[in-house]
Amino acid sequence: MSDTRLKIAVQKSGRLLDGSLELLKECGIRVNNGKDQLKASASNYPVDILYLRNSDIPQYVQDGVADIGILGQNTLVEKQKQIEEVLPLGFSKCRLSIALPKNTPYPGPEWLNGKRIATSYPNSLRQFMAKHQIEAEIHEISGSVEIAPNIGLADAICDLVSSGSTLFKNGLEEKEVILKSEACIVRNPKLSSGKQAILNQIVFRIQSVLKARNNKYILMNAPASQTEAIINILPGMKSPTVMPLAASGWNSIHTVIDESQFWEIIDQLKAAGAEGILVIPIEKMIL
């Protein structure tokens, strides 16, 4: 019976929880809110959700208490457990960086030699130091890393950076990016075939959701004489749909474009004669 349900570990509170539950919801998996709960079961899919401390998820997945987990790539790298990344998820993006007090001259990583560095990510920092042949004193602290230089505990910090506002408030400047991170799915490498099949289904649903988030469906009207020129502008998945309008000499053109190219392509379409351009969000995208 245990092989019929997949146990998913998610952060019990914090920046990753909402994104994880929202993604599962968009995949059609209904789960009760995890506030003050340790475990919840999906009502319409064979998964159980375990609400855990983020830093504990890698160990639980390695030990098989949870089958898979949703966590930050930074935690995956830092904890160095025997688990495998399955899929990046595109949310909770941040970076692990070296930061120094403002206006500190910084010629490069060699500046860190002989310095004191405060961090909650000692393993990741050691990897960076080894790569650059740096010898420095690591002060491992569990929170409020950014205040360490101001109280004389460290010369620099190694910490997660999102918007950079926390660094700014504490008079620090980002100097080196050690690694870039986003939420990802990790798995126990010894999953049974039954649980792997469930995971494969979830990954398929997630990929459909992520593709939809990153693409827009657009419709436009165009003179027939400009249709070929407009089609050459569109990057579309394959070939755009072209349908004649009731008005003679006009066509309606439909396609999907990547959001990262959106404004550049819209400007080109207008210049080529496209009119009445409609942009529609995509709920799911199956390729």
Side-chain angles (χ1 to χ4, degrees):
M1 189 71 178
S2 61
D3 199 47
T4 62
R5 298 189 71 83
L6 190 75
K7 293 173 290 185
I8 305 175
V10 300
Q11 190 179 42
K12 67 179 181 179
S13 62
R15 62 190 180 89
L16 281 169
L17 175 61
D18 291 342
S20 300
L21 295 181
E22 179 62 27
L23 183 59
L24 292 174
K25 180 180 178 182
E26 289 186 62
C27 290
I29 301 173
R30 295 195 293 270
V31 181
N32 292 330
N33 191 295
K35 186 177 181 181
D36 300 325
Q37 296 185 59
L38 296 177
K39 179 181 177 181
S41 296
S43 61
N44 65 335
Y45 205 72
V47 300
D48 297 322
I49 307 299
L50 307 180
Y51 298 95
L52 306 172
R53 289 197 315 171
N54 185 63
S55 59
D56 291 338
I57 291 177
Q59 185 69 58
Y60 277 96
V61 174
Q62 175 179 282
D63 293 345
V65 176
D67 300 307
I68 69 172
I70 299 178
L71 46 68
Q73 291 168 326
N74 58 291
T75 303
L76 172 64
V77 172
E78 176 63 25
K79 294 302 180 180
Q80 300 181 351
K81 301 299 180 181
Q82 298 302 308
I83 57 179
E84 299 174 350
E85 180 175 342
V86 177
L87 182 71
L89 299 176
F91 66 90
S92 291
K93 292 185 177 182
C94 59
R95 54 199 180 273
L96 184 64
S97 297
I98 300 288
L100 311 179
K102 285 183 179 179
N103 302 319
T104 301
Y106 182 77
E110 64 274 12
W111 182 92
L112 297 168
N113 273 306
K115 301 297 194 297
R116 300 164 299 162
I117 309 173
T119 187
S120 299
Y121 295 87
N123 291 327
S124 301
L125 177 56
R126 288 189 188 100
Q127 290 178 14
F128 173 80
M129 290 167 56
K131 177 181 177 181
H132 293 278
Q133 298 181 324
I134 295 167
E135 292 187 8
E137 183 179 340
I138 296 177
H139 287 258
E140 184 176 352
I141 53 181
S142 58
S144 301
V145 174
E146 66 277 356
I147 69 171
N150 291 330
I151 62 175
L153 179 63
D155 304 298
I157 70 167
C158 173
D159 201 16
L160 289 183
V161 179
S162 175
S163 65
S165 61
T166 301
L167 294 182
F168 179 79
K169 290 176 183 177
N170 287 275
L172 301 173
E173 290 181 327
E174 186 177 8
K175 296 296 186 180
E176 294 279 351
V177 176
I178 290 180
L179 64 88
K180 293 182 179 180
S181 174
E182 62 184 86
C184 68
I185 292 179
V186 297
R187 68 184 283 272
N188 182 301
K190 298 178 181 179
L191 279 187
S192 67
S193 58
K195 290 184 176 181
Q196 183 63 51
I198 298 172
L199 174 57
N200 291 343
Q201 292 174 352
I202 292 174
V203 167
F204 173 77
R205 293 188 183 193
I206 289 174
Q207 289 173 327
S208 298
V209 169
L210 296 181
K211 287 171 185 172
R213 286 181 179 178
N214 294 330
N215 287 274
K216 300 293 183 184
Y217 189 81
I218 63 170
L219 307 84
M220 71 204 78
N221 297 332
S225 60
Q226 290 299 107
T227 298
E228 185 175 352
I230 288 174
I231 289 174
N232 289 334
I233 294 170
L234 296 172
M237 293 181 294
K238 287 186 179 178
S239 176
T241 300
V242 179
M243 297 182 292
L245 295 178
S248 178
W250 284 80
N251 289 325
S252 176
I253 304 172
H254 303 205
T255 194
V256 173
I257 62 174
D258 189 287
E259 191 167 26
S260 64
Q261 301 173 285
F262 177 76
W263 288 111
E264 178 184 352
I265 290 174
I266 291 297
D267 289 340
Q268 293 180 46
L269 293 174
K270 289 178 63 180
E275 298 180 4
I277 302 173
L278 300 180
V279 182
I280 303 172
I282 303 170
E283 184 174 342
K284 304 289 186 298
M285 191 167 169
I286 313 296
L287 296 179

